Amino acid sequence: MGTTYKVVLINYDDSEAERNVFNVLNSVNKEMSTYLKTSLISELNESKIDEWVYVSDNFLKVAVFSQETCLATEGSFNISIGYFVNYYGFGPPEIANSYDDSKLMKLRDQISCSSYKVDSENKRIKRLNDVYLDMSAVAKGFAIDLLSSYLDSYSIDSYFIELGGEIKYKGHKSPNQAWLVAIENPDLTSSPILTLSSKEYENLSLATSGEYRNFSRREGNLVSHTIDPITFKPINKKHISVSVIAENVMKADALATALNVMGLEKGLEYSNKNHIKSLYIVKEEGNLVLKTSKWF
């Protein structure tokens, strides 16, 4: 997944569980990374239109969830915009410049929430349109949830997982010390803008989508890594980042991306309507301000 991770286990020294932490995370990378030519998603992207590709239970789960979330957010979250992710420089470098503007214009009509079909019974997926699937906005969250389930199977009561900025913890750091999660100040020079504690938020699942770390330059301008599936262009919103707390990190990850695309006003309206715990960081008159949904 091209990122760093941190896993802390409290009062647990089973070497087998510790060794398998990397294996669990790497299993997701091997299936869902577009940077690996041998991954399942690469196989699917290289398959012919209307050709079934057999996939794993984990891949199937993410594909189904992604399609459901696409529909629920009216397309603000859509994993079938990979061609545009690549075009703006956030995909595999060897294909980043392989599309021209005329080709991209033709591909716009191919993208929808139903651009691929899932056959859950037979564990297979096929592309119905000429789309390039990219699960980067949800794979990290799923990987954390998968690792969390693995640690739970060992009856580990307290742990902390961080993968590429997405976070899940369980229990407390110690009986008298809480887990603390800092929501980073986008200025990157001062103290966290908000700190969450396991004394207030039990078994937290948190994801953040922001533009201040992951961006590229195009024709001298900064370009957001978040591509709007509606306009097919990098987002250009007045907010700086959005964080989401949900029942699992996969959901928080996907919703953070969707709300980032929606923007502040529409995103908070959607959050309030759908019981989503969301927090936007915006800059007003030079000051950073927190805007939250009523559920946060």
Side-chain angles (χ1 to χ4, degrees), residues 152 155-160 168-172 179 203-204:
D152 288 344
S155 300
I156 301 176
D157 295 326
S158 299
Y159 54 77
F160 181 99
K168 185 178 185 71
Y169 64 63
K170 180 181 179 181
H172 301 285
W179 291 118
N203 303 334
L204 182 79

Side-chain angles (χ1 to χ4, degrees), residues 7 28 61 84 97 114 121 126 138 158 178 183-184 189 192 194 208 216-217 229 247 251 253 270-271 283 285 293:
V7 180
V28 177
K61 183 176 181 178
F84 294 86
N97 299 312
S114 56
E121 183 177 354
K126 65 179 177 180
V138 70
S158 299
I183 295 181
E184 189 176 52
T189 57
L194 181 67
T208 297
S216 68
R217 290 187 179 274
E247 55 264 37
K251 184 173 183 178
D253 202 2
Y270 182 86
S271 296
K283 183 165 283 189
E285 298 180 353
S293 68

Side-chain angles (χ1 to χ4, degrees), residues 29-72:
N29 190 54
K30 286 182 176 180
E31 292 189 0
M32 303 179 196
S33 173
T34 57
Y35 288 79
L36 298 178
K37 294 182 179 180
T38 56
S39 67
L40 266 178
I41 198 164
S42 291
E43 180 184 352
L44 184 57
N45 284 329
E46 293 173 6
S47 65
K48 297 178 181 178
I49 305 302
D50 215 36
E51 176 186 0
W52 288 109
V53 173
Y54 289 89
V55 299
S56 68
D57 289 332
N58 288 339
F59 195 97
L60 195 72
K61 183 176 181 178
V62 174
V64 170
F65 170 81
S66 296
Q67 201 162 54
E68 292 173 346
T69 304
C70 183
L71 293 169

Side-chain angles (χ1 to χ4, degrees), residues 182-194 212-213 240-241 281 283 287-290:
I183 295 181
E184 189 176 52
N185 190 316
D187 289 339
L188 305 177
T189 57
S190 55
S191 58
I193 198 165
L194 181 67
Y212 53 93
R213 277 192 179 276
I240 299 174
S241 69
I281 299 177
K283 183 165 283 189
N287 299 313
L288 294 176
V289 180
L290 303 183

Side-chain angles (χ1 to χ4, degrees), residues 84-136:
F84 294 86
V85 173
N86 297 338
Y87 176 75
Y88 285 104
F90 300 102
E94 65 271 16
I95 60 175
N97 299 312
S98 60
Y99 321 125
D100 56 33
D101 293 343
S102 60
K103 179 179 179 179
L104 285 179
M105 289 295 291
K106 295 177 182 178
L107 290 171
R108 289 185 176 192
D109 293 337
Q110 301 289 308
I111 295 173
S112 72
C113 297
S114 56
S115 59
Y116 63 93
K117 184 175 182 178
V118 176
D119 178 1
S120 297
E121 183 177 354
N122 294 299
K123 298 181 182 179
R124 58 184 187 171
I125 299 174
K126 65 179 177 180
R127 295 182 304 143
L128 300 178
N129 300 334
D130 185 9
V131 294
Y132 186 100
L133 302 181
D134 185 330
M135 292 177 167
S136 59

